[in-house]
Amino acid sequence: MKKTYIAAMVMAALAMASCHKGQYAGSENGKSVSFTAYAEGSSERGSSKTVLNDHVSEWAKDNIWVLNGEGDWKKSYSTQAEGAGKALFTEDDASVIFPGGPAVAVCPKYAATYAFWTIESDFPNKICGLYLSPEQTPVAGSYDPNAHVSLAYTENEELHFKNLVALLKFTVTEPGVENVTIESHVSNTMSGNFAVSFVDENYYVDYYYVEGIIRASRVYLNGNMEAGKTYYAAVLPGEYHDFGVFVNGKLFKSKTGTVFFERNKIYDLGEIAPVKVDDGAKECILTVTNKNDWTDLHVYAWVGSGSNIFGEWPGTPVVDGQVTFPKEYYGKTVKYIVNDGGKGKQTFDLEQKLDGDFTITIPGTTPEPDTFLVLDWPHGNTFIYYWGTGISSPNWPGYEMTSVIPGLATWSMPQDFVNAESFNFIINNGMGTQTIDLSIDNAVKYDNGGYVYTYDADHLK
C-alpha cells in the first residue's frame, strides 16, 4: 500500500526561518500512519511552511530524509507541492519499509545524506553526520533554502520541527557585492559536519570526532547581491572568536573577542558594501631574518577577524627573505606566524600594525654576541633576574626576555653583565614560578660573549 504523509508548517513572525518541513510515517500490519508537522514557534497550522519576519516561505518540491535509530538506515520522501503552505509527502521507494517506532526527520534532504542515529548505543539521543554547507546562495529578502537545517523527533503522529542553525542578516547598500564571507579564524565549527542531541523538548547542536568529518571556519554567499536588499546566511550555533565579514575577498568589518550565536535566532550584521582602499594605503613588506635551521619558511597571516591573508596553513612562502602584505590591509593590525612549511616548527602568534615595512628575526640556538639565551623553559613568559659583584640588579622579576619561538627566549645583556667575571641569575615567569639561584657555571659561554642556559626541571624551586 502506498503510504502518504501530510506536512503543514508555519513559523511566527520575527522567529527564525525554518528549513523545508516534512514528515514520514511508520507501518504496522500494512496500515499507513500519517503525521502532521509544525515549525518551531508556529501558532497556527497549514498557512505557510515558514515565516522569516514578513517573508513567507512555502513548499517547493521539497525532499526529506527519515531515520529510525538503526545506524545509517534512512528513507527518502518528497512532495510535488509548489507555492503551498501545506504539502503531501510520499515515499520515494515503496519497497523500503519503515518499521515504525521513534523516528527523526531532517530537512532539507542533503543535510542528512550521511547522517546516522543509533538508539542502541551509549548516546541514544544523538544524531551524527548532519551537514550545513559553507557555500550558500544569496536570496534577496530571505535565506538559501538548501543551506538550512531543521530536525523533528517524534514518538507519536506529530512532528515538531526545530531549527538547528542561527541566521546572520546583512543589508547591501551599494552595487558590486558578489561575495560575502563570514569567518571566525580560531573557531572551526561555523559550518560542515555536526551532531544534535535532543533532551526532552530541547535540541543541542554539538560535535563528534571521527575520521573524515568536514568542518569549516566560515560560510560564504556567492552571487550578485542587489543594493537595498537584505540577505541571510545560516551558521551553526556556538561560540566564535575574532569574527569578521569580508566583501569580495576584502575585510569589511571585524570584531575581536567572543560572540555567541544561538540556534533559532537572527543576528544583524548591519550594512555592507564593497571595500574601498584609501589612496594613501600601501603594501607592507615583512623581512624575515632566519638564524635557525628552518629551510622552508612560510608566513601564515590573518587579521583579528579571521581573514587568512595568504590562504590556508602554512600560508605563503618567504621569497628572498620577504613577504608582502596587500595594501588593503594597510593600517590594520594583523597576526602572523612564521613556520617551516607546516613541518612542525613555528613561532608564537605574532602581531603587527601595518603602517610600514617591518622585520622579524627567527633566533637560533646559538647566541648572538653579548646575548643570553634560555632554551626549553616550559612555564610561559621568561624573565631573568640577576646579581653579582659590580652588577646593577633589576627589580624583581627582572627583565622579560624576547620569546618568538616556543622554548627559546633571548635577552641582550647590559655592559656590566657582559663584563662580569661571575654572576648569579634566576629564570622565572613573572608569576611565581622560578628556578633556584643559579650561577655562571649553569650557563655555557660562547666565544662571542653570549651565554646559553638550558632549563633543567631539577632547577625548579
Side-chain angles (χ1 to χ4, degrees), residues 6-256:
I6 300 297
M9 280 151 282
V10 64
M11 177 170 282
L14 300 180
M16 177 177 171
S18 168
C19 181
H20 308 311
K21 299 302 180 281
Q23 65 177 42
Y24 58 83
S27 296
E28 183 178 358
N29 298 324
K31 180 182 178 181
S32 295
V33 179
S34 295
F35 292 82
T36 303
Y38 307 94
E40 185 169 22
S42 59
S43 58
E44 57 182 296
R45 303 180 182 185
S47 61
S48 68
K49 185 174 63 171
T50 62
V51 177
L52 172 60
N53 293 346
D54 294 326
H55 173 78
V56 176
S57 175
E58 297 180 322
W59 292 96
K61 296 185 177 181
D62 300 290
N63 301 275
I64 62 172
W65 277 120
V66 172
L67 292 79
N68 73 340
E70 296 181 3
D72 58 1
W73 187 98
K74 56 180 65 70
K75 185 174 174 65
S76 175
Y77 297 91
S78 60
T79 180
Q80 293 300 308
E82 193 167 12
K86 185 176 182 179
L88 179 67
F89 275 81
T90 59
E91 58 189 354
D92 292 332
D93 185 355
S95 66
V96 178
I97 304 300
F98 177 67
V104 163
V106 180
C107 57
K109 185 177 177 180
Y110 92 93
T113 299
Y114 300 101
F116 54 95
W117 171 38
T118 306
I119 293 179
E120 299 296 330
S121 72
D122 292 336
F123 304 99
N125 297 328
K126 191 169 188 175
I127 315 296
C128 295
L130 297 169
Y131 184 75
L132 173 67
S133 175
E135 183 173 4
Q136 303 176 15
T137 301
V139 180
S142 186
Y143 60 96
D144 180 355
N146 291 317
H148 187 281
V149 188
S150 66
L151 180 147
Y153 169 82
T154 187
E155 297 179 359
N156 52 44
E157 295 184 2
E158 289 190 348
L159 292 174
H160 292 268
F161 277 89
K162 294 194 176 184
N163 301 301
L164 304 181
V165 299
L167 285 187
L168 309 183
K169 77 172 184 177
F170 57 88
T171 301
V172 175
T173 59
E174 297 180 25
V177 175
E178 297 180 350
N179 172 277
V180 174
T181 298
I182 302 164
E183 182 174 354
S184 177
H185 171 71
V186 295
S187 306
N188 197 32
T189 53
M190 188 167 280
S191 60
N193 290 125
F194 67 100
V196 173
S197 297
F198 47 90
V199 180
D200 297 326
E201 295 297 317
N202 300 311
Y203 287 16
Y204 302 97
V205 173
D206 57 18
Y207 304 95
Y208 64 105
Y209 301 92
V210 297
E211 184 178 355
I213 60 174
I214 300 171
R215 298 224 178 105
S217 59
R218 65 188 67 87
V219 297
Y220 47 95
L221 277 64
N222 286 325
N224 183 56
M225 286 167 255
E226 299 180 59
K229 301 291 186 179
T230 298
Y231 297 86
Y232 295 79
V235 301
L236 294 176
E239 182 177 277
Y240 295 102
H241 308 272
D242 291 344
F243 181 81
V245 179
F246 305 84
V247 178
N248 300 338
K250 298 179 180 179
L251 176 66
F252 181 78
K253 62 173 64 176
S254 63
K255 177 180 176 58
T256 57

Side-chain angles (χ1 to χ4, degrees), residues 371-400:
T371 297
F372 197 101
L373 208 64
V374 172
L375 302 179
D376 301 334
W377 174 251
H379 301 292
N381 295 338
T382 309
F383 287 79
I384 182 169
Y385 177 80
Y386 56 93
W387 69 97
T389 303
I391 294 178
S392 178
S393 300
N395 294 325
W396 181 263
Y399 289 104
E400 183 171 8

Side-chain angles (χ1 to χ4, degrees), residues 416-428:
D416 59 351
F417 196 100
V418 172
N419 295 335
E421 294 184 3
S422 66
F423 55 79
N424 299 288
F425 65 98
I426 295 173
I427 303 300
N428 67 93

